[in-house]
């Protein structure tokens, strides 16, 4: 399942709160720290903005009945980071995947269920072993950097779930944060 994408050539409308968040992220990214500490610092900056009604516009909260929807909210001119809103209707999910860069996720509304995996060699191939199931409620943040960032995310609830994702890459140009989709045998 791939997200629908609202990335366009025209800049999206943004809120004052989102502009403020982007400025905070820019200052952190410009420090030039390694991926993991950058992600953790950006997570700290995202946290106080989650759940605030003035963060996103109404159109940035719209879902798609076919699959989860990706709204690219900001892509830094130099490609150093992007801010994306994902909107999940009940039952929507990602495939098992990893990422092109460091990533921070924060649940803005509803909750997301996440299954994390570890890739285990098995002879001339490999399999995925589930390592953890996590329920991320509104206000939860997570920060990670490859490798070791393999997971599946889904909305197991009955309402809409919304999350903000900050990636250390230009998602407007790339179209996705997914580096690889895994079709290997997986636990559970």
């Amino acid at each position: 399942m791939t997200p629908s994408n609202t990335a366009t050539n025209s800049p999206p409308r943004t809120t004052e709160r989102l502009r403020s968040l982007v400025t905070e992220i820019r200052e952190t990214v410009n420090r030039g720290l390694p991926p993991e500490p950058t992600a953790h610092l950006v997570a700290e900056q995202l946290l106080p903005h989650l759940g605030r009604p003035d963060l996103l516009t109404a159109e940035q909260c719209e879902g798609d009945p076919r699959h989860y929807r990706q709204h690219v909210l900001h892509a830094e001119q130099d490609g150093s980071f992007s801010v994306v809103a994902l909107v999940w209707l009940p039952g929507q999910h990602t495939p098992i995947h990893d990422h092109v860069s460091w990533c921070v996720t924060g649940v803005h509304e509803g909750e997301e269920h996440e299954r994390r995996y570890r890739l285990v060699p098995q002879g001339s191939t490999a399999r995925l072993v589930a390592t953890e199931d996590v329920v991320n409620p509104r206000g939860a943040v997570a920060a990670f950097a490859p490798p070791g960032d393999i997971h599946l995310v889904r909305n197991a609830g009955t309402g809409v779930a919304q999350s903000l994702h900050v990636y250390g890459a230009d998602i407007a140009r790339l179209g996705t944060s997914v580096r690889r989709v895994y079709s290997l045998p997986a636990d559970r």
Side-chain angles (χ1 to χ4, degrees):
M1 191 176 269
T2 57
S4 60
N5 191 342
T6 59
T8 63
N9 291 333
S10 61
R13 287 186 353 189
T14 62
T15 65
E16 183 60 39
R17 179 171 292 281
L18 181 62
R19 285 189 293 275
S20 175
L21 175 60
V22 166
T23 298
E24 294 170 27
I25 293 168
R26 180 180 297 121
E27 289 169 0
T28 296
V29 170
N30 286 343
R31 290 173 64 183
L33 298 172
E36 194 166 332
T38 296
H40 287 286
L41 289 169
V42 169
E44 290 175 11
Q45 292 167 327
L46 179 59
L47 186 59
H49 297 280
L50 295 172
R52 299 294 297 263
D54 59 341
L55 180 60
L56 301 174
T57 66
E59 74 183 2
Q60 293 165 343
C61 297
E62 292 176 2
D64 183 319
R66 295 167 295 166
H67 36 72
Y68 71 96
R69 186 167 186 187
Q70 171 179 281
H71 297 274
V72 176
L73 305 176
H74 177 82
E76 191 71 355
Q77 197 92 24
D78 66 2
S80 60
F81 73 93
S82 300
V83 181
V84 176
L86 295 182
V87 181
W88 316 76
L89 300 181
Q92 294 179 337
H93 60 88
T94 67
I96 300 171
H97 67 281
D98 62 7
H99 301 88
V100 297
S101 69
W102 60 264
C103 177
V104 172
T105 63
V107 179
H108 183 58
E109 191 64 46
E111 66 181 26
E112 294 177 354
H113 293 245
E114 178 185 15
R115 177 163 290 150
R116 297 176 182 168
Y117 294 91
R118 179 172 45 92
L119 189 61
V120 177
Q122 190 173 32
S124 62
T125 185
R127 75 175 285 104
L128 293 168
V129 174
T131 60
E132 186 176 19
D133 286 315
V134 180
V135 177
N136 298 304
R138 178 179 173 169
V141 294
F144 50 87
D149 61 325
I150 303 169
H151 67 167
L152 175 146
V153 180
R154 64 187 168 92
N155 177 358
T158 57
V160 173
Q162 300 170 353
S163 53
L164 262 70
H165 297 235
V166 183
Y167 300 105
D170 185 344
I171 301 307
R173 184 180 60 78
L174 296 174
T176 181
S177 67
V178 173
R179 180 176 72 101
R180 179 180 355 176
V181 170
Y182 292 85
S183 58
L184 297 168
D187 286 357
R188 296 191 257 173

